[in-house]
Structures are given as structure tokens and as C-alpha cells.
């Protein structure tokens, strides 16, 4: 595996399966009364968030803490960034504090790449979402969730998602989640179809390794998982569709549409959800929707990523079992 995690496209099939298998080991820790491993004791993880986040920031914080790392949370609001401090000066400050890993979310596509290749910091850089570009740990936790649901928790170990049909629906244009998922899911052998209004399909999509459809009802019966994307109003500077009702009617998932999916198929959403827009409350709250499960799986997946990037060459859980017992 590379030293940083900037793009899902940087992961080979074996890297991705290793992360998913390690995440499965980490998930076992979550089932214990003491949810902590001493693996990253003495290491410092900085969460550097220039853009709003609920799930991703909390999830990285929980992941680092469960591995016993020291965690520093930095959010641009209320920091010297509002006084105009540059990414470089912020990075140099973190370096002076001895950050072993920097988890960065930024409104500018490419900011994590810049940080990783600047020489400003020595630590590993993890992209927690950059502009409309990528969100690789979201794709990994999504793949983890799909492997568990579609292949099985134990049966999934060592396996990829070969032959599974995944449909990603909605605001693909502004979605870093969609981009990272297209890369990762195809690396894992899945067949991906994007469904969106023509105005929300990115230019150049022909070169992406996936199909594009404008007919949700035709694709649903052939899907093993349907991932609904949030309509990202904060990134829209024009009218991309006539009205919310019209969007919901053509591209929203409601109970009638969900009934067209095969019985085993799941509905996914990265959150935050616009209930009534891309997904109805009935679907969001149904057993087939994995949104809450995805959040829980996010912690295990990010534990795996931090563990592997910060130099875990030995099995994380088995190695530390004895010491964890001692600590009880
Ligand atoms: C996504 C994001 O921030 O890119 N959310 C998340 O990380 N859970 C998707 C979104 O904001 O719609």
C-alpha cells in the first residue's frame, strides 16, 4: 500500500481486500466491552477539517482513539484559517506538533494531494473528502458494508465484489462519494451503473469504468445495491433540475420503486440524507437501508486504514489480544 490515501484509484484489488479484511478484524473489537487496542499508543493523528462534517470527523476521531492514538481536532472555523492563514502555514504548525497522520477534509479538490506531495509534513495524509473530487474512506466503508450484506461477514474474508451490480443514483456531478466508489467498486470486480439527470452527469463520464442510465426504474430490478446520493445544494450555482418534486419523481427512491429491487438488494446512503428528496422517510427507515450500519462500519474501516498506514505490519487484533486482556 502507498504511504498516503488520496484517491481510491491508488488502491489495487489486494490493497482494498486487505483493508476490508483488517476492518473485519477491527469490527470484532467493537463487539468487546472494552473497545480499545494499544496499537497506536504514542502516535498523533490530526483531524484537519476545512469543511463541515458530522459522520466523517467523529468517525476518524473514534477510530484513532480506539487504536489509542492521541487525537487533535482542528476545524477551520474558529482557527487562524479565518484570519487568512494558508494551508502551508497550517501544515507547518501541525508538523511542529509531530503529527504522524493528518486526516484532511477541504473544499478544494486536490488539497490532500498538495499536502502529501509538498514536503511540508512527514506524516501520512488521508483524504477525508476534497471538493467534488474523492472520498476514498467512504468508498471503502461502502464496499465493506456491501461485502458483509451481499457476500457475508465470514464468507467475505479474502473476497472482492466480483459480479455484483451496484447502481449509484443522483447528484453524481458534485459527488466525491460517487467518484471514489466507481474506482473502488470496479477494482473490486463489481459492475457499476450511474443514474442521474443529464445535467448532473459529469463531462467526460465516458472514460469512467461504468455505465450511465437515465431510467431508474429499468435499472432497479438488476441491482444488488442501490446507493442514493445527496443533492448537494451548497455546490450548485445554477438550476440543475426544474423543481424538487420533479427531481424526487424521476430520481428519488420511494417504497414503490424499492419494491422493484431484488429481495436481497440493499439501499445505501452516505448521509446526510435529504428525506423527501432523493429518498423517502419510508425507505430511509426500512430494514433494507444500511445508512446507520454504514456509519458503524466507517469506524472499523478507518481503524484499518490508520493502522495499515501507520505501519502495522503485524496482525492488529491477535497481536494485541494478550495486552488488551491485561488492561481489563
Ligand atoms: C458525504 C461527503 O461529505 O462527501 N458525506 C459523508 O462523508 N458522509 C456525502 C455528502 O455530503 O452528501
Amino acid at each position: 500500500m502507498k504511504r498516503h490515501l488520496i484517491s481510491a484509484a491508488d488502491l489495487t484489488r489486494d490493497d482494498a481486500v486487505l483493508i476490508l479484511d483488517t476492518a473485519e478484524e477491527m469490527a470484532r473489537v467493537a463487539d468487546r466491552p472494552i473497545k480499545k487496542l494499544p496499537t497506536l499508543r504514542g502516535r498523533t493523528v490530526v483531524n484537519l477539517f476545512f469543511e463541515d462534517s458530522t459522520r466523517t470527523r467523529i468517525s476518524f476521531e473514534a477510530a484513532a482513539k480506539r487504536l489509542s492514538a492521541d487525537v487533535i481536532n482542528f476545524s477551520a472555523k474558529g482557527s487562524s484559517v479565518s484570519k487568512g492563514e494558508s494551508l502551508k502555514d497550517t501544515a507547518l504548525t501541525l508538523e511542529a506538533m509531530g503529527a504522524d497522520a493528518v486526516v484532511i477534509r477541504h473544499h478544494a479538490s486536490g488539497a490532500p494531494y498538495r499536502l502529501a506531495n509538498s514536503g511540508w509534513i512527514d506524516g501520512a495524509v488521508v483524504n477525508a473528502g476534497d471538493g467534488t473530487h474523492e472520498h476514498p474512506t467512504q468508498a471503502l466503508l461502502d464496499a465493506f458494508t456491501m461485502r458483509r450484506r451481499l457476500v457475508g461477514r465470514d464468507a467475505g474474508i479474502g473476497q472482492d465484489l466480483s459480479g455484483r451490480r451496484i447502481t449509484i443514483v443522483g447528484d453524481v456531478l458534485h459527488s466525491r462519494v460517487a467518484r471514489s466508489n466507481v474506482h473502488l467498486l470496479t477494482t473490486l470486480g463489481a459492475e457499476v451503473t450511474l443514474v442521474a439527470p443529464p445535467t448532473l452527469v459529469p463531462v467526460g463520464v465516458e472514460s469512467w469504468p461504468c455505465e450511465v442510465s437515465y431510467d431508474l426504474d429499468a435499472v432497479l430490478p438488476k441491482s444488488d445495491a442501490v446507493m442514493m446520493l445527496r443533492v448537494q445544494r451548497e455546490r450548485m450555482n445554477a438550476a440543475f433540475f426544474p423543481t424538487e418534486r420533479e427531481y424526487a419523481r424521476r430520481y428519488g427512491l420511494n417504497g414503490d420503486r424499492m419494491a422493484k429491487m431484488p429481495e436481497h438488494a440493499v439501499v445505501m446512503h452516505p448521509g446526510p440524507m435529504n428525506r423527501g428528496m432523493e429518498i423517502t422517510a419510508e425507505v430511509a427507515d426500512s430494514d433494507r437501508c444500511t445508512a446507520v450500519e454504514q456509519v458503524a462500519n466507517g469506524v472499523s474501516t478507518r481503524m484499518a486504514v490508520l493502522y495499515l498506514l501507520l505501519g502495522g505490519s503485524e496482525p492488529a487484533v491477535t497481536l494485541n489480544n494478550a495486552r488488551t486482556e491485561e488492561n481489563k
Side-chain angles (χ1 to χ4, degrees):
M1 228 171 100
K2 295 196 171 181
R3 203 162 70 83
H4 307 289
L5 180 57
I6 307 297
S7 162
D10 293 339
L11 298 170
T12 63
R13 180 209 171 266
D14 289 351
D15 290 337
V17 171
L18 174 66
I19 295 171
L20 301 188
D21 289 351
T22 308
E24 211 44 92
E25 286 183 50
M26 296 297 179
R28 279 187 226 138
V29 176
D31 296 338
R32 296 182 187 172
I34 296 171
K35 304 184 186 357
K36 221 166 161 124
L37 293 170
T39 325
L40 295 185
R41 191 145 54 192
R43 316 295 291 277
T44 300
V45 175
V46 177
N47 286 325
L48 186 58
F49 278 64
F50 292 89
E51 213 187 66
D52 296 345
S53 172
T54 304
R55 276 153 285 267
T56 306
R57 197 186 57 73
I58 295 175
S59 175
F60 268 109
E61 183 174 353
K65 285 184 170 162
R66 282 189 194 170
L67 293 170
S68 304
D70 294 320
V71 183
I72 299 176
N73 287 316
F74 171 103
S75 85
K77 274 179 206 141
S79 77
S80 289
V81 170
S82 14
K83 299 179 188 164
E85 186 159 31
S86 65
L87 181 60
K88 177 174 178 176
D89 288 325
T90 308
L92 294 175
T93 304
L94 301 179
E95 179 61 14
M97 292 187 182
D100 296 292
V102 177
V103 176
I104 175 171
R105 166 167 287 198
H106 203 285
H107 41 81
S109 302
Y113 178 85
R114 181 84 181 102
L115 193 61
N117 294 287
S118 58
W120 301 329
I121 55 164
D122 280 338
V125 175
V126 182
N127 180 2
D130 60 331
T132 58
H133 177 229
E134 282 232 30
H135 193 355
T137 59
Q138 179 71 41
L140 284 162
L141 76 88
D142 290 339
F144 179 87
T145 305
M146 286 182 235
R147 193 176 78 167
R148 267 198 172 179
R149 284 286 195 125
L150 303 175
V151 186
R153 191 170 173 161
D154 293 326
I157 299 293
Q159 302 296 310
D160 58 22
L161 292 168
S162 290
R164 309 290 155 160
R165 291 165 306 177
I166 319 294
T167 303
I168 303 179
V169 187
D171 185 359
V172 179
L173 181 65
H174 300 107
S175 179
R176 52 199 178 201
V177 175
R179 269 172 195 69
S180 288
N181 262 294
V182 169
H183 288 305
L184 184 69
L185 291 170
T186 48
T187 299
L188 287 170
E191 293 162 25
V192 182
T193 303
L194 302 176
V195 182
T199 48
L200 290 174
V201 174
V203 174
V205 78
E206 314 75 52
S207 64
W208 295 21
C210 59
E211 301 288 313
V212 177
S213 164
Y214 303 104
D215 186 353
L216 183 55
D217 293 304
V219 178
L220 288 176
K222 295 179 279 181
S223 305
D224 297 304
V226 178
M227 186 182 297
M228 303 308 296
L229 300 173
R230 181 173 66 88
V231 175
Q232 304 207 8
R233 295 202 163 282
E234 77 278 19
R235 297 189 211 279
M236 291 187 184
N237 52 9
F240 287 89
F241 45 85
T243 61
E244 287 193 6
R245 250 181 91 180
E246 179 65 10
Y247 182 90
R249 197 178 65 77
R250 301 237 5 217
Y251 297 99
L253 192 60
N254 57 23
D256 289 344
R257 283 217 163 102
M258 186 167 71
K260 295 185 180 165
M261 293 165 44
E263 224 166 278
H264 69 271
V266 290
V267 175
M268 306 182 68
H269 196 302
M273 294 191 263
N274 291 314
R275 286 169 180 249
M277 181 90 171
E278 70 266 3
I279 191 165
T280 60
E282 180 193 0
V283 175
D285 296 330
S286 81
D287 291 345
R288 303 181 74 174
C289 179
T290 61
V292 177
E293 208 173 300
Q294 284 167 261
V295 176
N297 292 341
V299 178
S300 315
T301 309
R302 288 170 177 131
M303 284 173 79
V305 167
L306 290 174
Y307 169 74
L308 291 167
L309 287 181
L310 293 182
S313 51
E314 294 170 72
V317 176
T318 33
L319 173 77
N320 289 300
N321 265 346
R323 286 160 73 190
T324 313
E325 293 301 320
E326 262 170 43
N327 289 346
K328 274 184 189 168

